[in-house]
Amino acid sequence: EGLPPDSHIWLELRLDGLPEDAVACAREISAASDRPTIATCRSVGQGGLSDLTAIESRELLGSLASDYCDLEFSPGHPAADSLTGELDAKRNILSYHDFHSIPQNLAGLLDEMERSAREHDVAKVAWACADISENLLALELLAKRPGKRVLICMGERGLMSRVLAVKVGAFGTFCAAAEGRAAAPGQLSVQTMLNLYRWPKISSKTRFFGVIGSPVGHSLSPRIFNTQFSAHDYDGVYLPLLIDSEEELIGFLNGCREKRWLDATGFSVTIPHKETVCRWLGDRADQAARRIGAVNTLHLVDGDYRGFNTDYLGILEALRSGAGLDATALASKQAMVLGAGGAARAAVAALVDSGCNVTVFNRTAERAAVLARDFGCKSGSWSDRANTQPDLIVNCTSIGMWPKIDVSPMPAAALRAKTVVFDTVYQPRETALLRDASAAGCQTISGMEMFIHQAAAQYRIWTGRDADLSLLRATVERALEADARDAVDEQR
């Protein structure tokens, strides 16, 4: 119910685990539906709930007036040769699931399935994704047989394979009917696929963007950039890209560069990869990014990457718009920067350039000392951060970031009235640090301000267009409010 009358949407009727009266209801739906239907009875061994034999399962599937039946494929046991009765006249999806890893010989498995398939049958393989580059293989294999394959990388890492499947001509992809009702790991709701990622708008020409990080599921970037694309009628889609290790990161970036058909155009880079990407790029990063030692923006142009740092601008704009601190007002301020990662390096560079007296504090003292030395400022031990009285505190650590939202990088008792406290964490919008600071009479700046301005700079780099700042702000505010409501609901 509530789905748009969209020809892109089919219905899968999952029969496994249903009582007989529900199966009877499924038969009625299949007979009366004005949408194409797929009948599925997934076995326990393939991630479902059915304990029926293969013959019993096929008899059940054959009793529905569905357009397709899902038949589980066992390597070495051709499926189509043994079809009889009702199923013999139907179109089928031959499916295989591996909940541990990618099949060892994926191309060979697909060849075997397609040798068993008939003219109108479809081969479907889904597996637990361990490396994000597996998505690139899946998409490449989909492109080789347009309309005849479904390949899904399951789990958070596999989102690319679900959303970009339409770009390379897949038969389709699978979504949950509603949020919280996923039938497989990483499955998106149909509302998310249609409204956030605009599945019907994606074509072979659609440009691919994303945010690279770990964690990345909390990121608001997909919402703000996809909304901008939609408002400007720009043919692009922006995805969250979970990547943990440096090896996985470099492999993915090289893969996107090599596969021109992917139309990879730009990536945001967040924790913990900003410094790694800067080292990897070398002189392909611009001078400002190299000076900071961190890249948060990648642009793929003419087959090669260019790196930028828009955090620097975002920090200065946040201080100006959030507290009226322009370069003149910042001069000679005593500033404390918490953290020594990529965001901290951008903050220190911006503050030093504005004439602030900066002291860096980090949980690992050696990293704070290196950062301070690089920019000609001071560092202090983490335990001493509460013993100073700065004019400005800038938190660039991940402390207080979703999901650990009840912790703060500063003891509440150490906050002094009239201090400006800027937390670069934007989710949640009001962090524990900002709550404590507000209670102490400090002036506070939300990380949302930095996020909005650095994102607008990214949009300009990638598209050559100015972002709609009012739309960008409204999108972020709505998203943060929705996330706050969801958090309250979860606690209940």
Side-chain angles (χ1 to χ4, degrees):
E1 294 182 6
L3 293 177
D6 194 314
S7 61
H8 292 84
I9 302 173
W10 291 22
L11 299 180
E12 182 186 30
L13 302 172
R14 286 289 297 264
L15 307 178
D16 45 301
L18 294 183
E20 182 56 39
D21 58 342
V23 171
C25 181
R27 291 192 183 98
E28 294 177 7
I29 292 172
S30 180
S33 176
D34 56 358
R35 301 179 189 271
T37 58
I38 300 170
T40 302
C41 186
R42 184 76 63 231
S43 69
V44 172
Q46 288 281 289
L49 298 171
S50 176
D51 56 3
L52 298 177
T53 66
I55 293 176
E56 291 170 335
S57 176
R58 291 184 177 193
E59 288 177 349
L60 177 59
L61 293 173
S63 70
L64 271 73
S66 58
D67 296 272
Y68 278 84
C69 287
D70 183 298
L71 302 182
E72 294 178 359
F73 182 83
S74 297
H77 297 83
D81 291 349
S82 59
L83 296 180
T84 56
E86 292 296 324
L87 283 181
D88 193 39
K90 289 182 179 290
R91 299 181 179 189
N92 299 299
I93 297 175
L94 308 184
S95 66
Y96 178 84
H97 296 73
D98 190 323
F99 290 89
H100 301 288
S101 64
I102 185 171
Q104 200 165 38
N105 182 6
L106 179 58
L109 173 62
L110 284 168
D111 287 344
E112 183 181 352
M113 295 174 83
E114 287 163 351
R115 285 195 298 271
S116 297
R118 297 165 307 178
E119 181 182 357
H120 299 295
D121 290 347
V122 174
K124 174 190 174 186
V125 182
W127 66 89
C129 183
D131 187 305
I132 197 166
S133 291
E134 292 171 17
N135 290 269
L136 304 181
L137 175 60
L139 294 170
E140 196 163 47
L141 290 171
L142 285 171
K144 290 182 176 179
R145 290 292 303 275
K148 303 296 290 183
R149 291 174 173 176
V150 177
L151 295 175
I152 295 173
C153 302
M154 293 186 290
E156 187 178 355
R157 272 181 172 77
L159 186 139
M160 268 182 72
S161 69
R162 296 181 183 275
V163 178
L164 298 185
V166 64
K167 177 177 171 63
V168 292
F171 174 77
T173 193
F174 286 75
C175 297
E179 295 292 343
R181 295 179 60 186
Q187 195 175 75
L188 301 168
S189 72
V190 66
Q191 292 86 356
T192 296
M193 188 69 86
L194 292 176
N195 299 331
L196 177 58
Y197 298 120
R198 300 177 298 144
W199 167 277
K201 296 281 189 180
I202 297 174
S203 72
S204 62
K205 302 297 184 182
T206 299
R207 294 177 181 271
F208 164 48
F209 301 81
V211 53
I212 294 168
S214 179
V216 78
H218 69 287
S219 177
L220 300 186
S221 294
R223 283 181 256 194
I224 67 164
F225 284 113
N226 286 318
T227 300
Q228 291 285 321
F229 292 157
S230 180
H232 292 161
D233 197 26
Y234 182 86
D235 191 7
V237 63
Y238 185 106
L239 308 178
L241 306 167
L242 176 63
I243 297 178
D244 286 331
S245 70
E246 180 174 344
E247 180 182 8
E248 184 181 12
L249 170 68
I250 303 309
F252 174 74
L253 292 177
N254 282 329
C256 289
R257 175 170 51 191
E258 293 163 4
K259 301 182 188 308
R260 297 292 185 94
W261 49 265
L262 189 59
D263 297 301
T265 302
F267 299 112
S268 307
V269 183
T270 188
I271 294 172
H273 301 304
K274 294 180 182 183
E275 294 165 272
T276 298
V277 168
C278 191
R279 289 193 300 270
W280 178 68
L281 285 175
D283 60 9
R284 290 174 293 162
D286 74 354
Q287 185 176 357
R290 294 200 304 273
R291 174 175 172 250
I292 294 167
V295 164
N296 79 321
T297 308
L298 282 168
H299 190 199
L300 187 53
V301 185
D302 297 329
D304 210 353
Y305 288 102
R306 294 290 180 264
F308 308 88
N309 190 300
T310 64
D311 285 340
Y312 180 101
L313 173 64
I315 287 164
L316 290 177
E317 285 294 318
L319 290 168
R320 182 192 59 78
S321 63
L325 294 174
D326 58 15
T328 301
L330 285 170
S332 301
K333 294 284 187 186
Q334 299 295 322
M336 171 193 294
V337 173
L338 303 175
R345 295 187 68 87
V348 170
L351 294 172
V352 168
D353 289 351
S354 300
C356 286
N357 298 311
V358 178
T359 305
V360 182
F361 296 86
N362 189 59
R363 286 165 288 185
T364 304
E366 293 80 3
R367 293 195 70 197
V370 169
L371 173 51
R373 185 179 66 243
D374 288 347
F375 289 93
C377 56
K378 297 179 292 185
S379 66
S381 67
W382 186 251
S383 59
D384 286 340
R385 71 195 188 284
N387 300 325
T388 59
Q389 296 187 22
D391 302 306
L392 169 65
I393 298 173
V394 183
N395 175 43
C396 297
T397 74
S398 60
I399 299 172
M401 180 186 290
W402 181 93
K404 298 179 181 180
I405 61 174
D406 295 324
V407 294
S408 170
M410 283 292 288
L415 299 170
R416 305 286 187 267
K418 297 185 179 179
T419 302
V420 176
V421 178
F422 173 22
D423 196 341
T424 62
V425 171
Y426 68 85
Q427 195 173 44
R429 181 173 182 177
E430 186 180 51
T431 61
L433 171 60
L434 294 184
R435 285 198 303 273
D436 292 342
S438 181
C442 301
Q443 185 173 4
T444 62
I445 305 173
S446 166
M448 185 181 78
E449 294 301 319
M450 172 186 170
F451 179 65
I452 287 171
H453 290 290
Q454 66 82 27
Q458 290 183 324
Y459 192 77
R460 193 176 304 111
I461 288 169
W462 294 332
T463 68
R465 306 179 184 185
D466 288 333
D468 183 334
L469 281 176
S470 60
L471 176 61
L472 202 160
R473 184 178 296 278
T475 304
V476 173
E477 288 176 344
R478 284 196 301 269
L480 290 174
E481 289 169 2
D483 288 347
R485 288 195 300 270
D486 291 345
V488 170
D489 291 341
E490 287 179 9
Q491 289 175 353
R492 289 174 179 169

